[in-house]
Amino acid sequence: ETGVTQTPRHLVMGMTNKKSLKCEQHLGHNAMYWYKQSAKKPLELMFVYNFKEQTENNSVPSRFSPECPNSSHLFLHLHTLQPEDSALYLCASSQRGTSNTEAFFGQGTRLTVV
Amino acid sequence: RKEVEQDPGPFNVPEGATVAFNCTYSNSASQSFFWYRQDCRKEPKLLMSVYSSGNEDGRFTAQLNRASQYISLLIRDSKLSDSATYLCVVRRGTYNQGGKLIFGQGTELSVKP
């Protein structure tokens, strides 16, 4: 079973709703990531956190707001989303500092914006 | 041009076939290379890292040609359970340099009985 847990697994929300995605990693890693996977498109990196500090924001719209209270937890707060934001949102973690460190992914949250 | 490009697929092959996936990357600063596997509606999982000398793991062989900026994955004696999408992944720099993983769009493989 994966050491990265995401909740909820599925989410349907209206464009005026506010919701949050949660990610927890049990691997002792120091870096966490949010990726977006839309149909027929490559995974797109959204945010990177190292030791709880955001080190990268890949020009993500402000309607997506990440939060990293500690190195094991990562949230993605959603508000006033658009239908084109419907996608699979994947959280990942890794141990920064090793040259060939792989990323471990959670099972994702499948988001539908209606 | 996409930074990581893969064969568009899908590949439909019979059990026992040998199948090869190709991937090219455009950023010569890329330092680490991986193949990930993603099953339908599931998360990507690391299949194998790719080293300059080439590496093999059972039926899977990965090769890297830095001069041509080309990565390949060969699957021999394919099984039904190999059906999945295969993602070519490169990292620009090391993590200490702020390197991040860049994913190709994936190549879908379907192995038929």
Side-chain angles (χ1 to χ4, degrees):
Chain A
E1 284 300 320
T2 179
V4 181
T5 306
Q6 287 186 244
T7 55
R9 295 289 305 281
H10 300 272
L11 178 62
V12 179
M13 61 186 287
M15 289 189 284
T16 58
N17 290 160
K18 286 185 181 182
K19 297 286 183 184
S20 295
L21 310 185
K22 179 182 175 182
C23 176
E24 183 175 359
Q25 59 98 358
H26 314 277
L27 300 168
H29 289 162
N30 56 17
M32 296 186 77
Y33 314 83
W34 280 115
Y35 282 86
K36 175 183 178 182
Q37 188 173 37
S38 303
K40 305 299 183 187
K41 287 187 177 181
L43 271 75
E44 301 169 54
L45 180 64
M46 300 175 72
F47 301 104
V48 180
Y49 277 83
N50 290 296
F51 296 104
K52 305 187 303 177
E53 299 297 321
Q54 186 182 126
T55 55
E56 189 153 350
N57 175 336
N58 248 15
S59 303
V60 180
S62 59
R63 56 186 185 271
F64 295 91
S65 174
E67 178 191 357
C68 189
N70 56 61
S71 56
S72 299
H73 293 85
L74 185 64
F75 295 88
L76 188 62
H77 304 299
L78 316 170
H79 63 97
T80 59
L81 295 192
Q82 305 298 311
E84 59 265 28
D85 296 323
S86 299
L88 179 68
Y89 288 85
L90 290 158
C91 173
S93 73
S94 70
Q95 185 62 23
R96 186 177 166 109
T98 305
S99 61
N100 264 347
T101 305
E102 65 178 285
F104 291 83
F105 285 84
Q107 293 174 300
T109 295
R110 191 160 296 280
L111 174 68
T112 304
V113 181
V114 297
Chain B
R1 182 187 172 189
K2 294 174 188 168
E3 186 164 347
V4 179
E5 294 212 57
Q6 296 184 237
D7 290 330
F11 284 32
N12 296 301
V13 304
E15 269 188 291
T18 295
V19 61
F21 299 133
N22 301 314
C23 172
T24 57
Y25 60 96
S26 61
N27 192 326
S28 58
S30 301
Q31 293 201 7
S32 303
F33 308 90
F34 311 89
W35 283 101
Y36 274 71
R37 169 190 169 136
Q38 187 172 23
D39 292 284
C40 186
R41 305 184 76 81
K42 294 206 171 171
E43 76 277 20
K45 291 184 179 178
L46 180 69
L47 179 66
M48 57 198 303
S49 300
V50 187
Y51 303 110
S52 295
S53 54
N55 47 303
E56 188 173 308
D57 182 3
R59 297 180 294 109
F60 299 85
T61 300
Q63 293 198 313
L64 166 66
N65 184 322
R66 285 187 183 267
S68 303
Q69 295 181 196
Y70 168 87
I71 307 159
S72 66
L73 176 68
L74 185 75
I75 305 177
R76 291 181 298 279
D77 188 23
S78 52
K79 312 289 185 192
L80 296 176
S81 56
D82 294 333
S83 297
T85 296
Y86 290 81
L87 303 167
C88 177
V89 185
V90 307
R91 176 180 293 132
R92 293 191 219 130
T94 65
Y95 268 116
N96 283 335
Q97 297 167 340
K100 62 185 183 184
L101 295 176
I102 308 297
F103 286 77
Q105 75 273 30
T107 302
E108 186 181 341
L109 171 66
S110 180
V111 181
K112 308 290 188 185

